[in-house]
Amino acid sequence: MALLLSLLCTLCLVGQVLGQDMPYEEYMAQIQACPKECRCPPNFPRAVYCDNKALKSIPQIPKYTWYLYLQNNLIEVLSADALRNATQLRWLNLNRNKISSEGVEEGVLSTMSHLAHLYMDDNLLSSVPSPLPASLEHLLLSRNRISKIPAGVFIGLDKLNLLDLQGNKLMDEDVTEVSLKGLNNLVQINLAKNQLSSMPLGLPPTTTQLFLDGNNIEKIPAGYFKSLPKVAFLRLNHNKLGSSGVPKNVFNVSSILDLQLSHNQLTEVPLIPSGLEHLHLDHNNIKSVSGAVCPVAVDTVDDSINESVPRLRYLRLDGNEIKPPIPRDVILCFRLLRSIVI
């Protein structure tokens, strides 16, 4: 009976492993090589959990690891030796450690030819790591001390679609067409909470989500978004934008769906593009709002819902000097409005 149960357990185990497309021999090698400081779940054999262990160094990582979790430790060095066998890594989480740029050993990342997700938030990096693997899709480096993007660091990273650099020390001269060259398929870039005083140059035309909150931006150049034909989500909260720094038609871009300009110094509502769905203008110095913000003539807006009707659904105006009620011509213009905060 015991032999039968053992056989059944073995068959179940083999079935699980094969179901994950992992040969039994590799499974056994992976489990046996699991570092004593880490967890290697039998039902998720390609993952190695070494998080929250107060580790000061990276242990030897098994050969067949795809997902490696090292967050919340005291690691200072990203060691090439410890990761020498882990050539199949897809996902590497190093958030909340003590890794400096000097602690990233030369070539340690570029040899990971399958790595798609690299998380190094909340470390001590002073520069974007280089070189990076061409397989990378997501690169998260928020809340470090980064003040430099090496020229050419992104060249060859044609799969990279998300870049998070928020909470660093980047200035205007650090974010340029030269430093961003190679981001040919980028979708989201987060440059919030840096030290930018002007709109960044050199952003790829594929950019869909642009986050610039918490900088010192005072103006937007006329025609700035002509080079960003796909931008849909734009956040400029907590900057120093006044109405004189926002050209009348600068947001008149058909792709923009969500525009956030909260906590600035605007004195009037900018022209609202027809396709815009969400607009955040709270905590500015706006005294009034009128039908002049309508992207079409108010008397041409009829009761039918068609392509010509402005798409605005949410409007936030609280924290200004506007007194209710909202003028009738504004309501007539934005027939799809479902919520106004004032």
Side-chain angles (χ1 to χ4, degrees), residues 155-265:
I155 292 177
L157 303 190
D158 290 334
K159 295 182 179 180
L160 192 66
N161 58 66
L162 187 153
L163 176 60
D164 191 343
L165 287 165
Q166 70 164 314
N168 282 286
K169 297 183 177 182
L170 292 168
M171 303 181 74
D172 295 338
E173 58 268 26
D174 305 311
V175 186
T176 66
E177 190 170 357
V178 174
S179 64
L180 297 180
K181 188 175 182 179
L183 295 173
N184 300 323
N185 292 295
L186 197 70
V187 173
Q188 181 187 118
I189 182 166
N190 192 340
L191 292 165
K193 297 181 180 178
N194 277 278
Q195 298 174 18
L196 302 177
S197 59
S198 60
M199 298 293 287
L201 302 175
L203 295 176
T206 54
T207 302
T208 302
Q209 301 174 39
L210 174 57
F211 304 146
L212 293 166
D213 313 75
N215 281 284
N216 300 306
I217 298 171
E218 297 182 2
K219 64 180 181 178
I220 303 173
Y224 179 82
F225 297 104
K226 288 182 179 178
S227 62
L228 299 172
K230 295 186 177 181
V231 65
F233 302 91
L234 177 59
R235 293 198 331 219
L236 279 157
N237 303 318
H238 293 276
N239 276 282
K240 297 180 179 179
L241 287 168
S243 290
S244 61
V246 180
K248 182 178 179 181
N249 294 313
V250 73
F251 297 124
N252 193 20
V253 180
S254 60
S255 62
I256 298 181
L257 301 175
D258 188 294
L259 176 59
Q260 300 190 21
L261 296 165
S262 305
H263 294 272
N264 276 279
Q265 300 167 13

Side-chain angles (χ1 to χ4, degrees), residues 321-327 342:
E321 300 178 34
I322 301 171
K323 304 295 184 185
I326 295 293
I342 188 171

Side-chain angles (χ1 to χ4, degrees), residues 5-139:
L5 287 174
S6 176
L7 179 60
L8 287 172
C9 288
T10 301
L11 289 173
C12 289
L13 182 61
V14 170
Q16 287 179 347
V17 174
L18 291 176
Q20 295 184 30
D21 195 28
M22 188 177 189
Y24 180 71
E25 294 78 10
E26 291 184 6
Y27 170 87
M28 291 305 299
Q30 180 76 358
I31 296 300
Q32 290 170 4
C34 184
K36 65 180 186 302
E37 303 94 336
C38 309
R39 292 183 300 110
C40 302
N43 61 339
F44 195 25
R46 295 192 187 275
V48 177
Y49 293 87
C50 310
D51 51 311
N52 298 288
K53 300 292 185 181
L55 298 177
K56 293 186 177 180
S57 60
I58 301 174
Q60 290 289 329
I61 302 303
K63 180 177 180 179
Y64 301 108
T65 304
W66 283 14
Y67 310 97
L68 178 56
Y69 301 91
L70 287 161
Q71 67 270 27
N72 297 314
N73 281 295
L74 304 171
I75 298 167
E76 296 182 0
V77 176
L78 184 51
S79 166
D81 181 64
L83 297 170
R84 181 179 64 253
N85 294 326
T87 57
Q88 298 185 23
L89 273 183
R90 268 72 168 169
W91 187 298
L92 177 56
N93 191 330
L94 287 158
N95 290 344
R96 293 179 291 282
N97 277 283
K98 297 181 179 298
I99 302 171
S100 65
S101 290
E102 293 74 23
V104 180
E105 294 188 357
E106 186 174 356
V108 62
L109 293 169
S110 60
T111 58
M112 300 179 186
S113 59
H114 300 285
L115 189 66
H117 301 266
L118 175 59
Y119 301 149
M120 294 188 73
D121 295 337
D122 297 288
N123 277 277
L124 304 174
L125 299 172
S126 58
S127 175
V128 173
S130 174
L132 293 164
S135 54
L136 211 56
E137 297 175 14
H138 290 179
L139 177 59

